[in-house]
Amino acid sequence: KAKETGKNKYIFFNKEMNKEIADKLYIYNHLRTALENNEFTLHYQPQIDLKTNGLIGFEALIRWKTKDFGEIPPMKFITIAEESDMIIKIGDWVLKEACQFAKEVNQGTNKYVISINVSANQLREDDFVEKVIHTIDEAKISPDHIGIEITETALMNDFAMNAKKIYKLKKMGIQTSLDDFGTGYSSLNYLRQLPINTLKIDKSFIGDLLKNDKVYNLTEDIILISQKLGFMVVAEGVELKQQQVVLEQYQCDVIQGYLISKPLTKAKALEFSHNHLFNDVI
Ligand code: C2E
Ligand code: MG
Ligand code: MG
Ligand code: MG
């Protein structure tokens, strides 16, 4: 089969493959020490209420700066971390770090929610809910300052079990969001049984919002259905003012994206929240 594609292509493919394997090996071998060497940081991306223009909170996004390759994006290393127990260790660190930020950013105010991404592997752990509650307790913060983001795909892995865990989190006052909505395969029947607070429309929809009539119409329907189900709606990946205008018309609740701000370092995010107490962003 390789022969049919021609010699050049075969060699090209081989090189690509070698690089991919080498990258993966590097990542795999360095993940464990990365935690010990404090190579991870969290960045925080502001989320803005479209009705009031007010800052409602931030999404915590992990960053990894390596000595040899510089920044490695989470899409690359999270999937590799998910192949072992590394994702649990990294997830524990993220949870702790984000709770610390929640504490700092709410000093002197009491209104920002920090949303934390968790992977299916974390959610699957028996003690997941207890761990979240314990970490919140240890940081001495209020549970309603923390949100947990679960992707549609992770949720559907084991819907019944995950729905129970989400219900427990909700009972404790912790916010929950369904992340990357539209990329998985949840049915209306599942959605209506789901005790989440928030639905996040995937950024691929927002990217096509102004380019594709079907997406334009579908986005309105997603928002209408979310409202009927009682979910707050966040649009992620908003880059253009015109996208914001359309989302406003559709009565989307919250936007997040480069239009407002890229994910910020901890210091910059704190600064953003302070400035925001006095100025409107948009
Ligand atoms: P996500 O949770 O859907 O996060 C949104 C992604 O969109 C982030 O990418 C963010 O930087 C990016 N983004 C935000 N605004 C815009 C925009 O206007 N335009 C575009 N093109 N992109 C925008 P990032 O930080 O590279 O993270 C990618 C994914 O990695 C996340 O997707 C999430 O699934 C995962 N991830 C990030 N941090 C963590 C973490 O701490 N734990 C776990 N388990 N996964 C994480
Ligand atoms: Mg997310
Ligand atoms: Mg997302
Ligand atoms: Mg994603």
Side-chain angles (χ1 to χ4, degrees):
K1 189 103 200 154
K3 260 186 196 160
E4 281 168 28
T5 60
K7 204 180 176 191
N8 288 338
K9 269 188 188 159
Y10 178 68
I11 289 167
F12 174 72
F13 177 65
N14 224 348
K15 268 188 192 161
E16 285 289 294
M17 223 172 72
N18 279 336
K19 192 186 161 353
E20 216 179 289
I21 292 167
D23 282 359
K24 196 172 162 175
L25 226 86
Y26 177 89
I27 291 172
Y28 192 83
N29 289 330
H30 286 75
L31 273 174
R32 211 166 285 271
T33 46
L35 210 49
E36 291 158 17
N37 296 339
N38 296 316
E39 289 173 5
F40 293 119
T41 51
L42 289 185
H43 282 196
Y44 301 94
Q45 189 174 36
Q47 300 178 319
I48 301 294
D49 183 318
L50 272 180
K51 285 196 192 74
T52 65
N53 283 350
L55 175 67
I56 63 154
F58 296 85
E59 178 176 5
L61 295 155
I62 196 166
R63 296 291 177 260
W64 182 18
K65 200 164 183 185
T66 61
K67 286 186 209 87
D68 307 322
F69 291 99
E71 280 255 353
I72 299 182
M75 288 298 244
K76 261 200 173 153
F77 70 83
I78 290 288
T79 47
I80 295 170
E82 282 172 344
E83 289 172 23
S84 72
D85 68 334
M86 266 321 291
I87 191 62
I88 305 297
K89 299 217 165 69
I90 294 170
D92 289 350
W93 178 84
V94 169
L95 195 58
K96 221 170 152 182
E97 183 76 11
C99 284
Q100 275 312 312
F101 179 73
K103 187 174 188 155
E104 274 186 65
V105 78
N106 280 304
Q107 225 128 64
T109 169
N110 189 34
K111 50 184 201 177
Y112 302 128
V113 177
I114 306 308
S115 293
I116 301 167
N117 292 285
V118 301
S119 86
N121 312 44
Q122 292 172 270
L123 193 61
R124 210 179 291 131
E125 297 273 289
D126 289 336
D127 64 347
F128 173 72
V129 174
E130 287 71 25
K131 198 180 254 177
V132 172
I133 293 168
H134 178 75
T135 311
I136 287 171
D137 279 350
E138 274 208 315
K140 298 192 172 66
I141 55 173
S142 164
D144 58 11
H145 288 155
I146 292 299
I148 298 293
E149 295 197 1
I150 300 161
T151 64
E152 197 185 5
T153 314
L155 182 88
M156 291 304 151
N157 268 342
D158 183 352
F159 181 81
M161 177 58 75
N162 291 334
K164 261 187 212 159
K165 291 183 180 180
I166 289 169
Y167 183 73
K168 275 195 202 165
L169 292 171
K170 190 198 180 106
K171 248 176 67 182
M172 294 301 300
I174 297 160
Q175 313 275 311
T176 49
S177 324
L178 190 58
D179 202 358
D180 299 353
F181 182 77
T183 62
Y185 46 90
S186 45
S187 68
L188 281 177
N189 197 34
Y190 279 129
L191 276 186
R192 78 174 171 80
Q193 299 175 59
L194 200 58
I196 53 161
N197 306 93
T198 304
L199 187 144
K200 295 188 80 175
I201 305 177
D202 190 65
K203 58 178 180 296
S204 60
F205 281 81
I206 310 308
D208 285 343
L209 186 65
L210 306 172
K211 298 182 199 159
N212 182 318
D213 282 347
K214 278 187 188 153
V215 174
Y216 186 84
N217 294 324
L218 199 56
T219 302
E220 180 173 32
D221 291 341
I222 293 174
I223 293 169
L224 286 170
I225 288 169
S226 299
Q227 285 169 345
K228 287 186 178 153
L229 291 168
F231 303 149
M232 192 175 91
V233 187
V234 177
E236 60 179 18
V238 179
E239 295 181 352
L240 307 169
K241 185 73 190 173
Q242 191 52 35
Q243 292 167 340
Q244 183 200 323
V245 170
V246 170
L247 290 163
E248 241 159 28
Q249 276 167 11
Y250 287 170
Q251 297 186 43
C252 176
D253 300 294
V254 174
I255 58 168
Q256 179 185 341
Y258 298 163
L259 176 68
I260 307 299
S261 166
K262 295 209 164 185
L264 302 166
T265 62
K266 182 177 175 173
K268 291 274 181 206
L270 285 171
E271 201 181 303
F272 189 99
S273 74
H274 293 146
N275 291 338
H276 202 85
L277 289 173
F278 310 105
N279 306 307
D280 279 341
V281 169
I282 330 170

